[in-house]
Amino acid sequence: MLNMSALNLESECKEIHDSWGQLNQLALALASRTRLERRQIRETYKAIYGEDLANRLQKADQMADNRKQAAAGVGVSPKLCAALSMWMIEQHERDAIMIQEALDDQQGDTNYSALVEIFVGRKSSQILLIKQAYQRRFRRQLDQDIIHIEPPHPYQKILVALVASHKAHQADISQHIAQSDARRLYETGEGSSGPIEAVVLEILSKRSIPQLKLTFSCYKHIYGHEYTEYLKTRNSGEFENAMKTVVQCIYRPATYFATILYASIKGSMTDKGALARVMVNRAEVDMDEIRREFKRQHGIELRDALCDSDKIPFGDYRDFLVALTASK
């Protein structure tokens, strides 16, 4: 796609600036913009007005959340401002912020699902950018923050292994290695009654995400069922339960995210930030696949489920989420 012309950019930025009290119009317009177009709008807005658009949205979110809409000059929901500010920043910046929020969850618990989604869903080159953004913004080392999560949890070991995998993996994937790893998973799992943790963590730490996906595919081909089916039948502890989520996120991401979205729309998710996080993070990754899987699972289009939900307030925020479902 060709870059937006300088004239169009300036005109659009002026329109944004002049209609600041009507962010619903801005949200619907920006929902259809590509990553490059949003970057150009953000850069042009700052060049003209001397203020970062994403930062202004974030400030509006904070003021709206403190019931100071009049002082902020906006009468929109803080949820819309928060989602829109995340939509406007670069993916690695967004991931760094979401990781920090997951590590410092307001409910006092680490949001491991949010962390897994990012470390499983990003390429190694993207993880490097996320680490750099995290250090730049929070003056801390991401690897060390994960290692020192308190209290310790099996998810923590899995995340440490996934972080290592992004440092160590080879670019090419190997059918032979996948078959060998699948057999090792079987032999230490279904083929024995011993602990599986050591072997699983070793494989996670040494293989890329595409390689792991092939491994779980080989497991199903060789043994006739998915690795998660074995985990469900095993006398599950915290490690096995965590691995169910990780494996599904690696092997069937569209299924995983469709399930998360459905639970969020129905109001049964304890993770209240999951809906906006998934919609914003997956809009330009695999939204087409998620929509198809959502329809297959629940017999309703994702956009219709969002519109019909009595758990999502009617208005600008819902309209923005619906607009994101049209992303490619």
Side-chain angles (χ1 to χ4, degrees):
M1 178 179 291
L2 295 176
N3 292 2
M4 299 172 66
S5 70
L7 184 61
N8 287 342
L9 280 167
E10 290 179 10
S11 175
E12 185 151 355
C13 287
K14 184 177 186 305
E15 188 176 338
I16 290 171
H17 188 74
D18 292 346
S19 61
W20 190 249
Q22 299 173 329
L23 285 186
N24 57 325
Q25 298 176 15
L26 169 64
L28 294 178
L30 291 176
S32 62
R33 296 298 189 188
T34 66
R35 187 175 304 168
L36 174 59
E37 288 170 342
R38 297 197 305 275
R39 181 187 304 150
Q40 291 172 329
I41 290 170
R42 188 180 171 192
E43 290 171 351
T44 304
Y45 189 93
K46 186 171 184 179
I48 296 173
Y49 299 106
E51 184 176 15
D52 186 277
L53 180 56
N55 288 345
R56 186 172 183 186
L57 286 163
Q58 192 171 37
K59 290 176 185 176
D61 163 33
Q62 293 166 352
M63 288 197 174
D65 202 29
N66 290 329
R67 303 182 183 279
K68 296 179 181 178
Q69 291 96 329
V74 283
V76 296
S77 76
K79 285 186 175 182
L80 174 62
C81 289
L84 192 54
S85 67
M86 284 296 188
W87 180 240
M88 286 302 297
I89 63 179
E90 297 292 332
Q91 184 185 72
H92 59 275
E93 294 179 280
R94 181 197 310 151
D95 286 341
I97 292 170
M98 288 186 173
I99 287 172
Q100 194 276 333
E101 290 175 349
L103 289 170
D104 191 24
D105 189 87
Q106 292 181 352
Q107 296 177 348
D109 298 319
T110 301
N111 189 338
Y112 288 108
S113 294
L115 295 173
V116 167
E117 290 165 14
I118 291 171
F119 280 101
V120 165
R122 302 294 184 242
K123 298 177 181 178
S124 295
S125 58
Q126 294 170 326
I127 294 295
L128 178 60
L129 290 175
I130 292 168
K131 289 181 180 180
Q132 292 169 348
Y134 187 91
Q135 183 175 18
R136 194 164 53 244
R137 184 177 286 266
F138 303 112
R139 301 290 188 268
R140 300 203 301 268
Q141 295 286 340
L142 177 54
D143 293 12
Q144 291 301 309
D145 281 358
I146 290 174
I147 289 172
H148 293 107
I149 291 173
E150 291 291 343
H153 190 280
Y155 261 123
Q156 182 182 13
K157 298 178 182 179
I158 294 170
L159 286 166
V160 170
L162 290 172
V163 170
S165 78
H166 282 290
K167 296 177 182 177
H169 84 266
Q170 301 296 316
D172 296 331
I173 61 175
S174 164
Q175 184 79 18
H176 173 73
I177 291 175
Q179 291 172 342
S180 176
D181 286 346
R183 291 190 178 96
R184 288 189 68 199
L185 289 174
Y186 180 84
E187 290 165 1
T188 56
E190 293 183 71
S192 76
S193 58
I196 65 171
E197 186 173 313
V199 170
V200 169
L201 291 176
E202 179 192 342
I203 291 173
L204 288 180
S205 67
K206 293 182 177 179
R207 309 295 186 230
S208 68
I209 300 303
Q211 182 68 52
L212 289 169
K213 189 169 185 175
L214 182 58
T215 294
F216 296 127
S217 177
C218 287
Y219 192 100
K220 182 178 180 181
H221 179 73
I222 296 170
Y223 302 109
H225 57 269
E226 295 181 10
Y227 187 59
T228 51
E229 292 302 313
Y230 152 67
L231 291 172
K232 290 175 184 177
T233 60
R234 184 181 171 91
N235 186 16
S236 295
E238 287 186 327
F239 182 82
E240 288 80 4
N241 287 332
M243 276 303 299
K244 292 175 194 174
T245 298
V246 174
V247 173
Q248 188 177 46
C249 202
I250 292 173
Y251 186 49
R252 295 192 182 279
T255 300
Y256 170 85
F257 287 113
T259 302
I260 295 292
L261 288 175
Y262 185 78
S264 297
I265 290 169
K266 291 299 182 182
S268 59
M269 283 287 292
T270 55
D271 180 0
K272 300 306 179 185
L275 178 60
R277 181 181 74 242
V278 172
M279 292 300 300
V280 169
N281 262 352
R282 308 307 295 190
E284 296 174 299
V285 179
D286 53 2
M287 186 56 71
D288 271 347
E289 295 176 48
I290 293 171
R291 283 202 311 262
R292 288 194 295 271
E293 180 61 21
F294 191 96
K295 177 71 177 294
R296 187 193 69 80
Q297 283 185 16
H298 307 295
I300 184 173
E301 297 289 349
L302 175 57
R303 62 173 291 119
D304 293 336
L306 288 165
C307 290
D308 294 344
S309 175
D310 59 358
K311 304 299 181 182
I312 306 171
F314 177 81
D316 304 337
Y317 174 61
R318 179 194 288 185
D319 292 344
F320 178 61
L321 296 180
V322 170
L324 289 181
T325 65
S327 300
K328 301 296 183 184

